[in-house]
Amino acid sequence: MAQSIVRNIASSIRKAKYFSIMADEVTDASNKEQVVICFRRVDDQLEAHEDFVGLYMVESIQSDNIVHVLTDTMTRMNLSINNCRGQCYDGASNMAGSRKGVVTQIRALEPRATYTHCYGHALNLAVSDTVKQNKILRDVLDITFEISKLVKFSPKRDAMFTRLKEELVPGTIGFRTLCPTRWTVRAASLHSVLENYAVFQALWQEVKESRIDSEIRARVTGVEAAMNKFDFLFGLMLGERLLRHTDNLSKTLQNPSMTASEGQNIADLTVKTLSTMRSEEAFDIFWKQVEVLRQQTGLSEAALSRKRKAPFGSEVGRSEGYHPSSPKEYYRRQYFECFDFIVSSIRDRFNQPGYTSLLNTENLLLKAAKGDNYGTELAFVQDYYGDDVILSSLATQLELLTTAFTPQLEEVTLSTIKSFLQSLSLAQKASFSEVCKVLCFVLVTPATNAVSERSASALRRVKTYLRSTMSQVRLNNLLVLHAHKAETDTLSISSCLNEFVAGSEHRLRIFGKFD
């Protein structure tokens, strides 16, 4: 049954011709390294599909081993690497290394295989960079993670929290655990702490009054002391305000139909939104919100730390070092600093070399539809994709595209061009065959490697510690069926049975053929 699904996927990829490779590494329940392999293709209706095709067990995740896995998989599925137009992995050195990384070796075999560093991983790294640069945010996430361990790892304290929540703030959301390895749960966790601030304050008092060992008492006392400081409240609200935008961006990027070009556009929109929040007016409103919550929770007012003189060896010149004149000025600086960090980090992480080719390819279609001069972009597409496109036919069809969109007054985007081509009949679409091919190059490049991440999560459900001794072949087949449930339901059972018995004379004699 699993082989039937994989054969159908391989047939669909060959029909689409061009594809992208996506891969990820994961360790299963029996401590074996597995490489998750997925492909992205674009069908005749210009809709993108991402398909998991299986696992490959390796001794190590060195780049040479992963390249062998990918090329062997393509050979088994009768796919030519010459038709690979994209690749998407995380940013680890074995994948994205400039000398011997998987990206470099694949591009040596096919230079047109544009590499995209998974935008989900890139965004996660941008958020991590921001948190590491600011001490207030770093302490807030550490303390929130400690709260997660104190509450969720203890059924007794979890029950106490639930009871206090129903008594003090009934109807509010519960506590959301902070998972450091997931992409889109940080803001929800910080928001849940804000909603249940009074509950946690009461919880720590009740926990300390109960019989607990000295280690837990010290951890609870430390968390309670941190939550009674203005720094924690300020950082909690600032972190929630920042991370809800990055979490929303992360969720959007994980859509399977999202292309790398569209991912860049939505990332630019998020950066512009965060930039508008970096203003004096926005900070004044934010400061008032912090003060209101501070009064509700009974925390002390913000205070400046003691002014200290710089060490003798680090003094430069005779001027006095900077020291804020008021607590609001100090926290204003922290506010602006965090927004500067997150904006610059997202821009740096999303500024990828492979995006240049996608941008030129997309601009070729957009400029042609708007009637602008696209000579530079046409020359780039001809040089980059070579014999993939027929230049004379493409130039003619771009002129047709200009004529088709000239009467329209609405703004032309890649989505409007895609919708226009989808509305054409099969015979009419032949007049735009090269334009469809160029659009396919943009659509086939994935924005994230989320499908591989989801397949790795499915591996945890299929191969558990109770089923850790199953063979690799059985594991692979079960996971393919698990990942493609809809396709599994449409399989012809009689065809699968006939294929099974045809593989052995002994089976054929016992079971015969099925109708």
Side-chain angles (χ1 to χ4, degrees), residues 123 152 167 491:
L123 180 61
K152 293 302 181 180
E167 294 176 358
L491 285 177

Side-chain angles (χ1 to χ4, degrees), residues 100-288:
K100 293 185 178 181
V102 175
V103 174
T104 304
Q105 296 190 44
I106 293 294
R107 294 207 68 181
L109 299 174
E110 177 47 67
R112 293 167 290 190
T114 305
Y115 167 62
T116 301
H117 178 197
C118 171
Y119 290 164
H121 285 94
L123 180 61
N124 191 49
L125 292 173
V127 172
S128 298
D129 292 343
T130 303
V131 171
K132 290 177 182 177
Q133 292 290 338
N134 186 270
K135 184 180 183 302
I136 293 180
L137 286 185
R138 186 169 64 247
D139 291 344
V140 163
L141 288 185
D142 288 343
I143 294 167
T144 305
F145 186 50
E146 181 67 15
I147 294 173
S148 302
K149 293 188 290 184
L150 285 172
V151 175
K152 293 302 181 180
F153 287 2
S154 169
K156 180 180 178 181
R157 289 189 288 274
D158 195 10
M160 292 169 61
F161 171 82
T162 304
R163 175 174 54 80
L164 290 171
K165 186 179 80 70
E166 293 301 324
E167 294 176 358
L168 298 177
V169 284
T172 60
I173 62 173
F175 175 58
R176 304 290 178 84
T177 304
L178 178 65
C179 180
T181 58
R182 291 187 62 188
W183 295 345
T184 57
V185 295
R186 296 184 180 89
S189 180
L190 298 184
H191 179 70
S192 67
V193 175
L194 283 171
E195 291 291 317
N196 297 281
Y197 212 96
V199 179
F200 282 114
Q201 290 177 321
L203 175 65
W204 307 138
Q205 289 292 334
E206 188 169 328
V207 169
K208 289 195 300 182
E209 293 172 359
S210 62
R211 297 180 61 182
I212 54 176
D213 57 47
S214 58
E215 180 187 355
I216 298 299
R217 183 179 297 276
R219 290 168 59 187
V220 169
T221 303
V223 171
E224 182 186 27
M227 291 189 67
N228 289 331
K229 294 181 179 179
F230 183 85
D231 268 10
F232 180 78
L233 181 63
F234 178 86
L236 196 65
M237 294 188 66
L238 178 58
E240 192 270 341
R241 191 170 190 179
L242 281 172
L243 296 179
R244 59 187 169 91
H245 286 280
T246 58
D247 285 358
N248 180 68
L249 174 59
S250 181
K251 290 178 182 178
T252 306
L253 292 173
Q254 293 178 48
N255 192 322
S257 62
M258 178 71 65
T259 65
S261 178
E262 292 172 335
Q264 287 278 352
N265 294 334
I266 193 67
D268 290 340
L269 183 61
T270 301
V271 166
K272 291 179 181 178
T273 304
L274 292 171
S275 299
T276 58
M277 297 169 65
R278 187 199 181 282
S279 64
E280 294 289 348
E281 295 79 6
F283 172 73
D284 289 338
I285 296 174
F286 175 75
W287 182 259
K288 292 178 182 178

Side-chain angles (χ1 to χ4, degrees), residues 2 26-30 34 36 52 54-55 453-485 488:
V26 64
T27 304
D28 63 18
S30 57
Q34 302 279 1
V36 182
F52 165 76
L55 299 171
E453 299 283 349
R454 296 190 187 102
S455 302
S457 299
L459 173 62
R460 306 283 185 178
R461 296 191 292 270
V462 173
K463 190 172 185 178
T464 64
Y465 75 99
L466 293 175
R467 305 167 63 187
S468 61
T469 58
M470 72 171 68
S471 66
Q472 182 70 16
V473 174
R474 178 175 176 81
L475 171 64
N476 208 356
N477 292 333
L478 286 176
L479 197 56
V480 168
L481 296 177
H482 179 76
H484 300 280
K485 295 178 181 178
T488 302

